[in-house]
Amino acid sequence: MKHTIFFNLFTLIFVTAFCQCNFAPKNHFQGKDFTNDPNIPQPTGFVNDFENIYSKSEEITLDSVIKDYNKRADIQIALATFDSGMVKKDSFQSYTLKVAQQWRVGEKEKDNGLFIGICKGYRIMYIQNGIGTAKILSDAATKSIIDTAFIPEFKKNNVYAGTLKGMEALMITLSAKKH
């Protein structure tokens, strides 16, 4: 009986501690304070699908692509989708900037973050470049990638393919301009 009570207590403590852990990728979001604005959700990884537009396997693939790129590049990318109930359409651009800042995408010293925000419900997306990233990827180049890589697939209602193609175009452009 004592063994069962001890085991149940241990299990309860372990499960409680496990459920409260931050599952964000190591060396990116870990150890950072995300409590500035309670209206901004907590990051769960490099890909945060708050709109539930990707399947689990698509989300894992996107996260893997970003994680691999972040390891080999001097730029850190994060992606989030937002349900239309989370943000108003006319404030989407400023909301994505707040999210990128609060999540601290990129390294502070280098300001090398790139944050992709998508809201399928509003049919809108925005890419926030850190100051360091903007030096190698202009707003005009970013808009061109959105228009030629993301949007054509989005118009076919294939958000995953558009996101993957768009991220690949961003990564190729960033890598080419850095060298």
Side-chain angles (χ1 to χ4, degrees):
M1 179 71 171
K2 286 183 183 180
H3 177 67
T4 304
I5 292 171
F6 175 76
F7 179 75
N8 288 341
L9 182 59
F10 175 77
T11 303
L12 178 64
I13 291 168
F14 177 77
V15 168
T16 302
F18 182 75
C19 289
Q20 292 177 355
C21 289
N22 183 355
F23 291 102
K26 193 172 185 176
N27 300 326
H28 184 67
F29 296 122
Q30 192 169 6
K32 296 183 179 178
D33 177 21
F34 303 112
T35 58
N36 299 344
D37 185 341
N39 296 320
I40 293 178
Q42 297 290 314
T44 58
F46 293 114
V47 176
N48 299 273
D49 185 16
F50 301 114
E51 197 172 16
N52 297 315
I53 58 177
Y54 305 117
S55 70
K56 192 64 183 165
S57 65
E58 291 170 343
E59 193 172 336
I60 290 168
T61 300
L62 292 170
D63 193 74
S64 177
V65 167
I66 292 174
K67 193 179 297 181
D68 179 59
Y69 183 77
N70 288 350
K71 283 181 188 175
R72 60 185 163 82
D74 196 28
I75 294 173
Q76 294 182 348
I77 298 175
L79 163 73
T81 65
F82 301 102
D83 185 87
S84 57
M86 297 173 76
V87 59
K88 293 180 180 172
K89 185 176 184 176
D90 60 350
S91 62
F92 187 76
Q93 179 180 350
S94 62
Y95 183 78
T96 60
L97 179 59
K98 282 184 190 177
V99 172
Q101 290 172 335
Q102 187 164 314
W103 289 1
R104 294 177 180 85
V105 178
E107 299 167 89
K108 185 176 183 177
E109 314 79 45
K110 298 178 182 180
D111 207 357
N112 61 345
L114 186 141
F115 179 76
I116 304 166
I118 299 170
C119 180
K120 184 180 176 187
Y122 288 141
R123 299 171 50 113
I124 191 170
M125 72 170 294
Y126 201 82
I127 297 176
Q128 297 287 352
N129 292 328
I131 293 170
T133 306
K135 290 177 184 176
I136 56 173
L137 184 68
S138 68
D139 288 343
T142 302
K143 183 177 179 350
S144 176
I145 291 170
I146 290 171
D147 292 343
T148 60
F150 285 91
I151 300 301
E153 289 297 327
F154 287 5
K155 285 182 177 180
K156 297 176 191 173
N157 202 28
N158 195 345
V159 179
Y160 170 70
T163 304
L164 192 58
K165 285 181 180 181
M167 285 190 341
E168 288 171 349
L170 285 166
M171 292 171 186
I172 289 167
T173 303
L174 289 165
S175 296
K177 290 190 176 194
K178 284 204 68 116
H179 296 108

